[in-house]
C-alpha cells in the first residue's frame, strides 16, 4: 500500500522502515529539513539496532523515501500515519500542538479520500479532535477517516518489536478504514483488535502505566528485600513463573525513565483528574520511582560517606540499554545528584555520550569502559547495557583506590563479586 509517515523520530522512522520491509511503498516526512537531508544522504539520526541496514535496504529497493513536504507525501499516499512528538507540559498534561499542526497540514493537502492514523501516544479523545480539525481545515471537503493505532515498540528493540508485535490495535469510528488497516498489518502476522478510538487510545496509556506500575512494584519489593536479607531477583523469578504475573518488567532498578513512562504516567493522571477520577495508584507509582533513586543515592553516600572530591566512575548514561536516548534518563539524574554532592565523575556509555554532553557537563567522558574506574573511589552501574557484564573486573579492581561497586541494575552475581574482592552493593539483594 502507499503510506506516509509524518515524523521521523523513534516511532516514525522505525515504523516507516518496517512497513517498507514488508513491501509497502513508504514516504517519511519530517519538518526538520536537516534531518531529511541526513536521511536522504543515508544517515540515521538515532541509534537503534538493525535500523540502519533496514533503511538502506529499503531505500535501495525504492520502497522508502524521505521528504519535508507533507503536501507531496499526502498526494501520493492512501494512508497517512502521524508519529510526531507529544511532549509533556509543566503541569503534567501533553503538548498536542504538533499533532494539531500536522492535522491541519494533512487537511490542506487532501484532494481525495484518505485514512489518517494516529500513532503518537495521545490522551484519550484526541482522535475526535484530530477529526474535527481535519474537517474544519479541508478545503476540498473530501471524505476521510481517523484511526487510532497506538505503537508499543520499546526503544533499543524497536525493529524486533515492530516486526513481531504482540498485538495490533486499530481504533475506528466507522468500519470503512478497517480493510485497509488490516491489509497494512497482514504481513506482520499478529492478532488484530478493532475497537473504538477512545478505547484504542486508552489501551496505550493503560499499558504503559501498568508496565511502570510493575517496575515500581518490584522496586518496592526490593526495599523489603534489603531490609530482610531476601533477594529480589529470586522473588521476581518466583513471581514471574505464575503465568498470570509473568517475569518481564520485574527487574528492580534505580527507577524507570525515558521519554514514555514518566510522561505517560503524568498525562494519564492528569486526564483521569479531568474526567473526575483521582488515580492515586499511579501517583504512588511515581512516588516509588522517585524514592528508588533517593534510596540509591543514599546507599552511595552511606558507603562513601562524604562525596565531595571523591572520584566516581559511572557506567551508563542512556535511560536503558541499546539506545542513545538520554531523555529523562535515571543515569543522567544520578550523575547530576552525585555532582551536586561534589563528586568528580568519569563516565562512559557505549552509545549515548554525544547526546549526554549538553545535559552533563564538568565530567570526564571516557571512551573505553574498562578505563572508567581508573583512580576512582567507587564505580556505579547506571544503565543495563549487556556489554557491561563483560567488564574486565580484575583490571577494574586493581585500578581503583577502593574496589567499591554500586550496581543500580543488578548486572553482576553477588557471590562472584565478593569472591573477586569487591565491596558490592546492588538493588534488593
Ligand atoms: C516503553 C514501553 O515498554 C513500550 O511498549 C512503549 O511503546 C514505549 O514505552 C512508548 O510508549 O513509546 P521504552 O520507554 O522504549 O518503552 O523502554 P522500556 O523498555 O519500557 O523501559 C523503560 C524504563 O524502564 C527504562 O528506564 C528501563 O531501564 C526501565 N525498566 C524496564 C526497569 O527499570 N525494569 C524493568 O524490568 C524494565
Amino acid at each position: 500500500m502507499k503510506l506516509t509517515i509524518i515524523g521521523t523520530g523513534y516511532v516514525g522512522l522505525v515504523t516507516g522502515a518496517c512497513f517498507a520491509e514488508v513491501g509497502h511503498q513508504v514516504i517519511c516526512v519530517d519538518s526538520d529539513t536537516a534531518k531529511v537531508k541526513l536521511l536522504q544522504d543515508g544517515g540515521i539520526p538515532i541509534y537503534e539496532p538493525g535500523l540502519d541496514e533496514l533503511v538502506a535496504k529499503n531505500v535501495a529497493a525504492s520502497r522508502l523515501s524521505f521528504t519535508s513536504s507533507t503536501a507531496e507525501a499526502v498526494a501520493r499516499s492512501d494512508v497517512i500515519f502521524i508519529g510526531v512528538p507529544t511532549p509533556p507540559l509543566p503541569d503534567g498534561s501533553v503538548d498536542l500542538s504538533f499533532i494539531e499542526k500536522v492535522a491541519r497540514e494533512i487537511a490542506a493537502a487532501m484532494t481525495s479520500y484518505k485514512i489518517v492514523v494516529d500513532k503518537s501516544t495521545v490522551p484519550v479523545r484526541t482522535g475526535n479532535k484530530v477529526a474535527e480539525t481535519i474537517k474544519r481545515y479541508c478545503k476540498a471537503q473530501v471524505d476521510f477517516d481517523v484511526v487510532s493505532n497506538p505503537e508499543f515498540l520499546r526503544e533499543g528493540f524497536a525493529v524486533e518489536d515492530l516486526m513481531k508485535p504482540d498485538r495490533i490495535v486499530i481504533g475506528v469510528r466507522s468500519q470503512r478504514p478497517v480493510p485497509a488497516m488490516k491489509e497494512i498489518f497482514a504481513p506482520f502476522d499478529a492478532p488484530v483488535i478493532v475497537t473504538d478510538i477512545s478505547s484504542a487510545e486508552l489501551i496505550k496509556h493503560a499499558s504503559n502505566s501498568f508496565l511502570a506500575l510493575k517496575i515500581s512494584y518490584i522496586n518496592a519489593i526490593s526495599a523489603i528485600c534489603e531490609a530482610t536479607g531476601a533477594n529480589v531477583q529470586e522473588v521476581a523469578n518466583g513471581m514471574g513463573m505464575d503465568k498470570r504475573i509473568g517475569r518481564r518488567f520485574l527487574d528492580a532498578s534505580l527507577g524507570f525513565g525515558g521519554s514514555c513512562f514518566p510522561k505517560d504516567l503524568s498525562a494519564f493522571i492528569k486526564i483521569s483528574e479531568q474526567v473526575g477520577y483521582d488515580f492515586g495508584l499511579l501517583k504512588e507509582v511515581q512516588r516509588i520511582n522517585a524514592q528508588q533513586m533517593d534510596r540509591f543515592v543514599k546507599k552511595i553516600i552511606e558507603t562513601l560517606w562524604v562525596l565531595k572530591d571523591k572520584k566516581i566512575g559511572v557506567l551508563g548514561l542512556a535511560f536503558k540499554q541499546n539506545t542513545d536516548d538520554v531523555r529523562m534518563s535515571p543515569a543522567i539524574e544520578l550523575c547530576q545528584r552525585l555532582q551536586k554532592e561534589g563528586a568528580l565523575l568519569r563516565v562512559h556509555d557505549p552509545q549515548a555520550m554525544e547526546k549526554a554532553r549538553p545535559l552533563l557537563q564538568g565530567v570526564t567522558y571516557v571512551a573505553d569502559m574498562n578505563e572508567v574506574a581508573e583512580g576512582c573511589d567507587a564505580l556505579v552501574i547506571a544503565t543495563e547495557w549487556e556489554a557491561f557484564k563483560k567488564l574486565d573486573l580484575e583490571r577494574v579492581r586493581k585500578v581503583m583506590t577502593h574496589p567499591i561497586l554500586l550496581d543500580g541494575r543488578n548486572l553482576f552475581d553477588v557471590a562472584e563479586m565478593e569472591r573477586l574482592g569487591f565491596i558490592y552493593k546492588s538493588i534488593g539483594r
Side-chain angles (χ1 to χ4, degrees):
M1 291 192 69
K2 292 192 177 109
L3 312 177
T4 279
I5 320 281
I6 303 182
T8 57
Y10 287 90
V11 169
L13 186 55
V14 186
T15 304
C18 290
F19 279 166
E21 176 67 12
V22 299
H24 299 305
Q25 200 66 40
V26 182
I27 309 173
C28 285
V29 182
D30 205 292
S31 56
D32 180 343
T33 47
K35 203 173 182 187
V36 170
K37 172 93 175 54
L38 176 80
L39 287 160
Q40 285 170 337
D41 292 344
I44 302 288
I46 51 171
Y47 172 77
E48 189 60 53
L51 182 61
D52 43 2
E53 292 99 327
L54 206 63
V55 170
K57 181 180 161 199
N58 286 286
V59 168
S62 302
R63 285 192 296 263
L64 182 62
S65 63
F66 303 97
T67 177
S68 54
S69 167
T70 303
E72 176 200 320
V74 168
R76 287 168 46 201
S77 303
D78 307 312
V79 184
I80 299 123
F81 287 82
I82 304 177
V84 295
T86 49
L89 289 167
D91 70 348
S93 63
V94 179
D95 178 358
L96 293 169
S97 60
F98 296 106
I99 299 254
E100 193 267 351
K101 183 166 170 276
V102 165
R104 277 189 282 125
E105 284 170 2
I106 295 169
M110 281 178 7
T111 52
S112 58
Y113 172 76
K114 305 284 176 193
I115 300 173
V116 181
V117 186
D118 173 50
K119 231 182 201 319
S120 302
T121 302
V122 293
V124 58
R125 298 194 294 216
T126 300
N128 292 340
K129 291 276 175 208
V130 169
E132 270 171 35
T133 306
I134 295 177
K135 198 164 190 302
R136 195 171 299 152
Y137 288 88
C138 180
K139 289 213 175 66
Q141 295 288 316
V142 290
D143 270 359
F144 67 93
D145 271 297
V146 166
V147 174
S148 166
N149 169 231
E151 181 49 60
F152 301 101
L153 64 81
R154 292 161 302 160
E155 285 181 27
F157 302 89
V159 173
E160 191 184 316
D161 285 352
L162 243 152
M163 295 306 287
K164 292 193 197 100
D166 287 348
R167 78 298 208 186
I168 304 293
V169 175
I170 298 174
V172 290
R173 301 207 299 180
S174 78
Q175 290 303 304
R176 186 173 176 189
V178 174
M181 291 304 294
K182 284 192 171 167
E183 192 181 331
I184 292 170
F185 286 105
F188 296 95
D189 198 24
V192 175
I193 301 172
V194 178
T195 181
D196 60 282
I197 293 191
S198 290
S199 299
E201 290 167 336
L202 271 176
I203 287 171
K204 172 69 190 200
H205 264 155
S207 299
N208 269 10
S209 300
F210 190 80
L211 291 168
L213 179 146
K214 224 177 155 183
I215 299 169
S216 275
Y217 188 83
I218 202 68
N219 280 338
I221 300 289
S222 78
I224 310 290
C225 288
E226 285 172 20
T228 56
N231 180 325
V232 75
Q233 278 176 321
E234 302 287 338
V235 176
N237 291 343
M239 285 171 65
M241 286 169 85
D242 185 329
K243 288 196 185 71
R244 294 169 303 174
I245 298 173
R247 177 63 179 82
R248 294 176 76 189
F249 280 68
L250 281 182
D251 290 322
S253 64
L254 43 79
F256 57 77
S259 66
C260 302
F261 286 173
K263 178 193 83 170
D264 290 353
L265 270 179
S266 304
F268 204 21
I269 290 169
K270 195 83 196 162
I271 300 152
S272 307
E273 193 183 298
Q274 284 162 0
V275 299
Y277 182 73
D278 178 9
F279 216 146
L281 179 64
L282 296 186
K283 291 180 190 165
E284 191 58 19
V285 169
Q286 290 180 316
R287 198 187 63 79
I288 294 169
N289 200 48
Q291 200 182 43
Q292 194 70 358
M293 175 63 77
D294 292 343
R295 291 200 317 114
F296 193 64
V297 172
K298 192 167 159 227
K299 198 175 287 183
I300 298 175
I301 294 173
E302 274 170 6
T303 310
L304 295 180
W305 189 23
V306 173
L307 294 194
K308 189 167 182 325
D309 298 333
K310 291 265 164 67
K311 229 188 214 182
I312 300 179
V314 179
L315 286 173
L317 297 169
F319 83 97
K320 60 181 281 193
Q321 63 175 323
N322 280 352
T323 182
D324 60 353
D325 196 346
V326 293
R327 288 176 291 173
M328 300 289 286
S329 170
I332 300 277
E333 186 189 337
L334 178 65
C335 288
Q336 289 164 343
R337 298 270 296 256
L338 297 178
Q339 275 187 316
K340 236 188 206 154
E341 296 289 331
L344 307 168
L345 305 183
R346 289 171 60 76
V347 305
H348 168 83
D349 189 283
Q351 291 294 337
M353 294 208 277
E354 277 322 302
K355 289 195 175 161
R357 273 177 212 275
L359 300 176
L360 196 59
Q361 282 144 16
V363 304
T364 306
Y365 286 89
V366 183
D368 181 344
M369 69 172 179
N370 285 309
E371 287 174 10
V372 172
E374 251 159 54
C376 285
D377 300 287
L379 181 66
V380 174
I381 311 279
T383 307
E384 70 273 36
W385 281 96
E386 275 295 310
F388 295 159
K389 291 187 182 165
K390 300 205 176 75
L391 202 63
D392 184 345
L393 291 166
E394 281 292 344
R395 179 173 161 190
V396 164
R397 187 174 49 80
K398 284 192 194 127
V399 299
M400 295 180 73
T401 51
H402 300 289
I404 297 174
L405 206 151
L406 294 132
D407 185 352
R409 297 292 190 163
N410 289 349
L411 290 191
F412 298 105
D413 182 70
V414 180
E416 175 67 3
M417 294 304 282
E418 277 163 12
R419 194 188 63 76
L420 287 169
F422 281 94
I423 295 168
Y424 178 69
K425 298 192 178 176
S426 53
I427 308 272
R429 305 187 300 173

